Amino acid sequence: MRILSPEETAALLPYPALAQAIAQILQNPPPIAPERMGVPLPGGGTLLLMPAADPTLTVTKLVTVHPQQNPSVRAEVLVMRTPTGERLALLDGATVTARRTAAVSLLAAQTLAPEPGGALLLIGSGTQAKAHLEAFHVGLGANKVYIYSRSPERREALAAYARRLGTLAQAIDRVEAVLEEVRLIVCATTSPTPVLRECTENSFVAAVGAYRPEMAEVAPEVVQRARVYVDTLEGAKAEAGDLLQAGVDWGRVTPLAQALREPAPTLGPVLFKSVGHALWDLAAARLAMRSLGLV
């Protein structure tokens, strides 16, 4: 069995190819992809299990969350041959999660954004913000980036990294100052209260940070104005606090799989809410195993 480092895992998962792998799995979903299972652990920790399988590969992502530890989240993705159970590889789970989440947002932006070539606003400066910066830079050619977070040091550090990628990047201290200019907005924070309270008509917003019903990065007034899309309806109904707190009409919420079959929206703003699914880990495993010549 191959055990891959974070760097080796990242090299196997280029964002444009990963976005296409996710599109393929959305168009032909495998028969086995149950919802995430959570197991409370003694001492306040949590074990999360996310399995998925197709006729060729089976994956299980194992995640442990211990809020008082550093790092608080650890994860691995175990990849097996479905017919035999042979263990093929152990991918770094944090890297898979960051890259497949950003790749889902990239796919959504490629499919749904009214102006996918516009300037980018990142709200957040952590792992997901960095991954989305990379994905939108290589996948959409986003070369002008504004970065906001509550920590001046972290937003300046991410802006410096963005400049090393070749972008025009600026750390800002007010989101509202650039909303008229930007066309792509990514909310990737752990804030329990909204960090985005308005946007323009031709904006595309990817909201990936809020992952519990009591959390909301996007204000209800933005949700109510927007054309709303989600990575999966089942996951969003259970976890998407942005939508739940806005009292969204689920009848007007479109899953990404359906959006891939329909004409792109011509009116905005467009809001894409992602909460994650084991299918995206399976898509990543397919791509990685093909790159290694194991399938």
Side-chain angles (χ1 to χ4, degrees), residues 215-284:
M215 300 173 69
E217 294 182 292
V218 180
E221 51 266 34
V222 175
V223 176
Q224 290 157 4
R225 283 179 54 215
R227 298 170 66 100
V228 181
Y229 298 81
V230 295
D231 56 347
T232 67
L233 270 176
E234 296 79 7
K237 288 179 178 180
E239 299 179 5
D242 313 76
L243 308 187
L244 294 166
Q245 293 184 33
V248 73
D249 176 2
W250 292 103
R252 69 177 186 89
V253 176
T254 305
L256 185 56
Q258 180 180 333
L260 292 172
R261 302 190 299 268
E262 298 179 346
T266 57
L267 299 174
V270 172
L271 170 63
F272 174 69
K273 176 62 185 176
S274 172
V275 297
H277 199 282
L279 285 178
W280 322 150
D281 301 318
L282 180 58

Side-chain angles (χ1 to χ4, degrees), residues 22 45 67 110 174 198 212 229 254 257:
I22 291 168
Q110 291 170 330
R174 287 182 61 250
E198 56 182 303
R212 295 198 302 264
Y229 298 81
T254 305

Side-chain angles (χ1 to χ4, degrees), residues 150 189-197 214-219 245:
R150 291 176 296 180
T189 77
T190 56
S191 174
T193 57
V195 294
L196 182 69
R197 295 190 172 276
E214 65 271 20
M215 300 173 69
E217 294 182 292
V218 180
Q245 293 184 33

Side-chain angles (χ1 to χ4, degrees), residues 80-143:
M80 300 160 274
R81 292 193 195 279
T82 300
T84 65
E86 176 192 356
R87 272 57 173 168
L88 296 176
L90 192 68
L91 304 174
D92 181 72
T95 303
V96 170
T97 300
R99 294 183 80 88
R100 57 82 148 156
T101 303
V104 171
S105 296
L106 172 60
L107 175 62
Q110 291 170 330
T111 305
L112 302 168
E115 296 185 31
L120 169 65
L121 167 62
L122 289 172
I123 304 177
S125 56
T127 299
Q128 280 297 343
K130 181 181 179 183
H132 278 75
L133 166 66
E134 295 169 341
F136 280 47
H137 176 59
V138 300
L140 293 175
N143 288 320

Side-chain angles (χ1 to χ4, degrees), residues 27-159:
Q27 292 161 342
N28 297 284
I32 304 172
E35 289 300 308
R36 180 173 63 194
M37 177 188 298
V39 180
L41 300 176
T46 303
L47 169 66
L48 302 172
L49 298 96
M50 300 174 65
D54 64 22
T56 301
L57 292 178
T58 295
V59 301
T60 297
K61 183 159 73 178
L62 305 174
V63 183
T64 54
V65 182
H66 291 84
Q68 306 308 318
Q69 302 298 315
N70 184 21
S72 61
V73 179
R74 303 171 191 266
E76 298 81 31
V77 177
L78 179 62
V79 187
M80 300 160 274
R81 292 193 195 279
T82 300
T84 65
E86 176 192 356
R87 272 57 173 168
L88 296 176
L90 192 68
L91 304 174
D92 181 72
T95 303
V96 170
T97 300
R99 294 183 80 88
R100 57 82 148 156
T101 303
V104 171
S105 296
L106 172 60
L107 175 62
Q110 291 170 330
T111 305
L112 302 168
E115 296 185 31
L120 169 65
L121 167 62
L122 289 172
I123 304 177
S125 56
T127 299
Q128 280 297 343
K130 181 181 179 183
H132 278 75
L133 166 66
E134 295 169 341
F136 280 47
H137 176 59
V138 300
L140 293 175
N143 288 320
K144 189 170 187 179
V145 182
Y146 295 100
I147 299 167
Y148 170 81
S149 80
R150 291 176 296 180
S151 167
E153 295 80 10
R154 293 188 66 177
R155 68 189 183 222
E156 289 288 354
L158 187 57

Side-chain angles (χ1 to χ4, degrees), residues 159-190:
Y161 174 73
R163 287 190 285 270
R164 292 197 294 273
L165 295 180
T167 72
L168 297 171
Q170 179 180 344
I172 60 174
D173 56 15
R174 287 182 61 250
V175 166
E176 295 76 16
V178 299
L179 289 179
E180 289 296 326
E181 179 182 353
V182 298
R183 296 296 176 264
L184 303 166
I185 302 172
V186 174
C187 298
T189 77
T190 56

